[in-house]
Each structure stands twice: as C-alpha cells, then as structure tokens.
Amino acid sequence: MYEKREGIMDVYIYPQVKDEPSKIPAEKTADYLKRLVDITHSTGTYDREKYVQLIHDICETYNIAKGESGFYQNLLMEKKNEGEWFCDYDNGKGDVLMIKHRIQTNSGAIIIGALYVEKDAEPLTKEDIDNLFLMLRVLTGFISRFRLQAVVERMGFHDESDYPNFRSFARKLFMINEQKKLPGMIAVHLDLHNFGIINQKIGRRNGDIVIRNYFNMIKNVIGDDGCVSRLGGDKFIAIFPRNIMDEVLGILSGVPVCYGEHGEHKVEVSAAVGVYEIPNSFVLNSPGDIMDTIMLASHEAKKSSENAVVYYDESMRLKKDRLMMIHNKFYESLKNGNFLAYYQPKVDVNTKQIVGAEALCRWNDNGRIVPPIEFIPILEQNTEICDLDFYMLDCVCRDIRRRLDAGKEVVRVSVNFSRKHLVDVELLENILKVIDDNDVPHKYIEIELTETTTDVEFRDLKRIVYGLKDSGVFTAVDDFGIGYSSLNLIREIPWDVLKIDRCFLPLDEDDENSITNIMFNHVISMALDIGMECVVEGVETIKQVELLKDNYCDIAQGFYFDKPLPFEEFEKRLDSKGY
Ligand code: C2E
Ligand code: MG
Ligand code: MG
C-alpha cells in the first residue's frame, strides 16, 4: 500500500498523489526551509518556541494533521518499542500515515519522523510531497543530533543509576571557574554513615529510595549555583556557594529521610563530611586538585567518631606529604640498614636481673632517630610492615648469634609482629627460616602479637601460635587489655606470655581500691593461675615495682629500669648483670 522510495531506504509514502502543480507559493516553502535551517543549524540549545511555531505553520499549510518523531537507542529497543515519542503537532484527526522517514545512525540509534493526514484529506501534489519530504529529512537529521546529544549527556555525565557523576562535577567546576566564582565556594565530600546497616534493615530497594531522596534534598538546596554528584555507592561530592553552607551541612550532619510506598517510613541519614573552603589564591588546574584536598578532610571525618564534619587545613596536606615520603623512602632505608633494633630490658623485680628484652624499632633518618609511632602506623597501611618485622627478626637473630659465638650470656628477645602477617599462609615457615638461617636456638626468640578484630584473623592467629609453640618459639599477647583483646584470646590460644598494657598498671596516686588496681590484681593472678608468664609494660616508679612484687608478678619492663637501648648499650647492661 505504501511506496518505498527508490534509492532512499526506509521512506514510506502514502501513494495518494494529485498529478498537478502545487498551489503553495514557492516563496512560502523557501521561507519554511530557511527557518528550518536557521533553527536546526544553530549550535547549543534550540529555541523550542520557534521550532513548535514552525512545525505548526508547515502542518497547517500542507494540511498535515499530525507530526511526530521517535527515538530508539538501538535496534533491539525499536523491536521492543522501547523508545521515546514526541508529538510536535496534532489536530486530533491524523489517522492516515502519509510519510514515514526512518534513519539509523552509525552508533545504531534509530530516528523516525512521521506525518499523518486526515482520512478524507485531499491528496497532496507530487511537488508538495517532495517538499515535505525534504523538510522532514532536515528535521529528522536535526532530531537525531539533538537526541543523541541528550544520550551522550546522560551516558557521559550520569552513572548507571542516573545520578550525575564526577564528570558532571568537573564540568560544573570549570563553568564556575570560567565565571571567576570559584574562590569562596565550598566543596564537600560525603560518605554516608552506616549505609550497609540501613540497607540490611530496610532492604536494598528502600535503601536506594532513601539515597535518592537524600540526594534530592541536597540538590534542591544547592540548585543551579552548584552541583552534587555521586562518586559511587554511598559517596558523593558537591560544590556550592558559602551562603547556603549552614543549610547544606545541616542536611549532611543528619536528617530523617522518607521511604516506603507513600513515604510513610523514615530513617535518619548522616554522612562523614570533608569540607574545603576554596581560597582566593586557588588556581584550578584539574578537578582532581579539589578532589584530593577534600579527600584529606574526608578521611579525617571518616576516622573520627565524634566529628562528622571536618574542615580541611594545611596540616592534613603536610601529614599526607610525610606519609608519601615514608612510603617512598622505606625500601631504600631498609636496604641501607637505617632501621635499628633497640632493646628494652625485661627485669625480674625480685632479683633485679635482666631476664629478657623486647626489640623495638627505630629509624635513623639522616641522623634523626625516629620513634615507631611516626612510621609503624603508616607502614601498616600496606604490607611494608611485614618486611620491616622480618628485617627486625633477622637483626635480633644476628645480634644473639654474635653473643653466642663470643660465649656471652644471652636472654630471650621478643620481636613485634604486626597483625598484617596473619594472611600470610607461610608465616610460620618464614619465621623459623630466619631463626634457623642464623642458627639461633628457638628458645631465645619470642614473637609478640596483638589482638585480632575478625574471626578469620582469630583462626589464623591460633594456627600460628600453635605452630610456634610446637617449634619451641615463645609467643606473647602484646598490649593485653586494650583494643579488642578478649578473654577468648587467652582461653583458646596457648600463649606463653601475657604482656599487660601500661594503661592497666595503676599509677602511684591511684587508690588501692580503684578499679584499675582491682583489675590489675585479678588479671595478673588469672594469668599466673593459667600458667602464663606475666610481663607488665610501662613500669616507671619504685612504687609500681613494689606493686608487681605484692601481686607475685615477677617481670617488669619500663623506664624505671631502662628505656629501649641501642644494642651496644643493652650489651653493657647485660654484661653488668642487671641493676
Ligand atoms: P609495644 O610493643 O607495646 O612496645 C612498648 C612501648 O612502650 C615501646 O614504645 C616502649 O618504648 C614503650 N615503653 C616502655 N616502657 C615504658 C614506660 O615506662 N613508659 C612509657 N611511657 N612507655 C614505655 P615504642 O618503642 O615507641 O614502640 C611503640 C610501638 O610500636 C610498640 O608498642 C609496637 O607496637 C610498635 N613497634 C615497635 N617496633 C616494632 C616492630 O619492629 N614491629 C612492629 N610491628 N611494631 C613495632
Ligand atoms: Mg610489643
Ligand atoms: Mg605493648
């Protein structure tokens, strides 16, 4: 019934044609074409009003009842009829399809333009049809460009859940920068608190609704003067003017958010927020600069249990620089032997004899002796700490071997091993290999490990302690009483030594009946009853030494006797037979 035009695919024209010249003046058609070209060739957004008026004029002139266009992202969507249809003109009587023009772009998108006439409409002339067809082709070409732009916008600047993404944040940033309005703006990174728990409690679908509603609350406050984008999961980034800062931070610090079919349920949502107030001196080179800066504050906010909102300050950058410096220098320093084993004696409080020592690491950084607190937590962020611990074990074994070779007295030395080792399935073999390579009797080595946080770690810890015990290496629970240590840790694992953290050691001014005193007594008697050796850390005064004696705890480690000493000084101490 339809003619398929030769040479041009996918054009269907209803064959009712009058074989006579057009009655429409040529100037009118030329004017329409000119107006069409003007609208469709302008860059940027098109003037919708002018466009609608033009379509209206064309349809009336040519007696068209309805003009519409369709857009499908691909063939499959066309097949399933999952497209977007737009009607630009409709007098309500267009029941006969007259021209249908379908094009498929290189990217696979399909654009359709269709014109309808009334059932009893007088047929158009061939010239009219040709002119209309020309206009329809210009129009579908324009619509294809316009619609594809919208797809690019959606795909390039939105994520899979249709939230604006980082690219859209970056675009806004450049626009604000272009307008020279960046100084004084506020950039924030937010990481929603406990969203995993919220999802568990109300279900993932409701969780999605809550995030969407929370996002919209922020977006509505910010409006067009800034933007909020999702970085992924429950993390967002936003930029906005300072005058709405209180309002935005009010939402970020915690608000009830609705969900449910009719929004009848509520859940409290808050976020850990890093804030960066963009200074006047700021020069935007890349959006990453702002991102890096807020992330420093956001990290602090995430770590802090009280401060949900943390403002960026320069000390954070210095800290980060120092962190990077330590990571960069670490292996070079290790290779150059700049990490040193210091020894802190463990002393029998009754005989004042040195009965052992703990090896504690010091970093000789160009002559400055750096304490472990400044670098161990940083090395623990990855597995660098494991290399350091093995290095320390090797140092200790070599020092012991040297004394044994010289026929001198040797005491058991404990070496700290980070929890990070627990995932290493060959940890036991590797420890024994270092000790055996140095030909050191196992009884001279003790491995100090701290508490664990997860069940998996607990299982690994148990396996390693059993293994060390079987091979005659001593094991100690370090820092007992703080962190996550539980009684299960000593019930299920056969430790040799319990090292009681110094925060459990009563201070001189503490009352005899203070909680610390009572707990101290009981922890020690429990350890001794179980048959563990008990070492108290941080003994600084004679009164504390007496307290240990009163409680039948024999071994003290602390400044009262000595600070951690360089090996040569420790040797002197050892050779002079105690205090
Ligand atoms: P830690 O294993 O609990 O070591 C005891 C810490 O208490 C040492 O601090 C020691 O100097 C300090 N201390 C000893 N007696 C006293 C005292 O009477 N008063 C006070 N206020 N402090 C005392 P240090 O050497 O700064 O080491 C800190 C922590 O760094 C260690 O705590 C340990 O967790 C870690 N660490 C040190 N060396 C290594 C190592 O080679 N490997 C690993 N993984 N960690 C290490
Ligand atoms: Mg220790
Ligand atoms: Mg300790």
Side-chain angles (χ1 to χ4, degrees), residues 358 416 448 478 499:
E358 175 175 10
N416 291 283
E448 290 191 15
D478 199 1
K499 293 194 76 180

